[in-house]
Amino acid sequence: MAWRYALTIDPVVSDDTRDDFADTFTVIDPAAPALSVGELSTQRGDGIFESIGVIDGHPQEVSAHLERLAHSARLCDLPAPHTGQWRQAVEVAAANCELGEYVIKLILSRGVEHCPAPTAWVTAAPAADFAESRTRGIRVVTLDRGFDSAAAARAPWLLLGAKTLSYAVNMAAIREAKRRGADDALFISSDGIVLEAPTASVILRIDGTYITPAPTGQILHGTTQLSAFEWLRSRGLATEYREVPASDLLKTDAAWLVSSIRLAAPITAIDAVPLANDVEFTAALNAYLLSPRD
Ligand code: PLP
């Protein structure tokens, strides 16, 4: 993947009332080395991020992503991102994307070791081609996340509800899923509650209701799931947030992993038990997710 565009941001904004932040951005060569060797994001994964889909130059659901960035910053004791500044940075990056699908990443890091200031940057790159996942679907296996469903409340330092840069565990789960002959994983808490995938939210259809695990701090609240629920409700379909026991997976007649760049990938098997792929419905959902959304 060739990065198209990159800029660094000075994330410490002293004047809250300004409305132009261009002088806090530095455009950098996306192909050149840019980070200090002391970067705590690379040394410790100590930072947060967002991945925003860009469709034909339009960045999707920017407000929802910026809200989650702010939420992650609160959980990680990072300085609150200035919404106007980050929104402008997203606009600048999107203006440098061409037609087609791109991904803009926002990164806010603890900074460089022994320096007090956080560092931040924004990149834009062409998105991977997910056409096959969106149409033919994906097989998932359930994997124990190793925490019970009360872990987030009992041990907030696990940062389970924050989108941190520490994704090594998530990537290991996907590799394990592939070793088991599947395409992706679905995390289950150690006490048997359905959570999320390593890089996506899950939506299940049971008895005509579209259900997703309640975002109680144990999982990320997905912007794509939020958007999909809005669309489902606008079509008069029932949606529900609730605790989902793993036994409900057997009652599911269709299911999807949803995320900002892959969009809706129908699940065609859970632990090798086949699930129907509702092709027409999935195509309509993806058509909506590909339309401009704010
Ligand atoms: N859950 C996890 C762990 C994720 O990493 C992601 C996205 O990367 C999601 C859920 C879905 O979030 P979104 O729809 O905002 O991309």
Side-chain angles (χ1 to χ4, degrees), residues 49-52 64-65 68 145 160 162-163 167 170 187 196-202 219-226 258-261:
F49 78 108
E50 285 294 322
S51 297
I52 300 178
H65 282 285
R68 192 170 58 191
R145 194 169 219 176
L160 293 173
K163 195 165 167 72
Y167 261 50
N170 303 43
F187 284 131
E196 63 187 341
T199 65
S201 316
V202 65
I219 58 173
L220 294 192
H221 197 175
T223 61
T224 317
Q225 173 271 309
L226 272 167
V258 297
S259 55
S260 297
I261 314 303

Side-chain angles (χ1 to χ4, degrees), residues 51-116:
S51 297
I52 300 178
V54 183
I55 317 283
D56 295 337
H58 183 273
Q60 303 282 66
E61 297 286 359
V62 176
S63 296
H65 282 285
L66 292 181
E67 271 166 37
R68 192 170 58 191
L69 187 73
H71 178 69
S72 299
R74 270 194 301 280
L75 293 179
C76 294
D77 304 314
L78 284 163
H82 189 294
T83 305
Q85 182 191 34
W86 285 85
R87 189 180 291 282
Q88 187 176 342
V90 171
E91 280 162 13
V92 172
N96 282 278
C97 297
E98 292 173 359
L99 289 180
E101 294 184 44
Y102 279 71
V103 53
I104 289 180
K105 284 202 180 203
L106 317 181
I107 293 159
L108 176 59
S109 149
R110 185 85 47 201
V112 176
E113 197 166 15
H114 310 306
C115 296

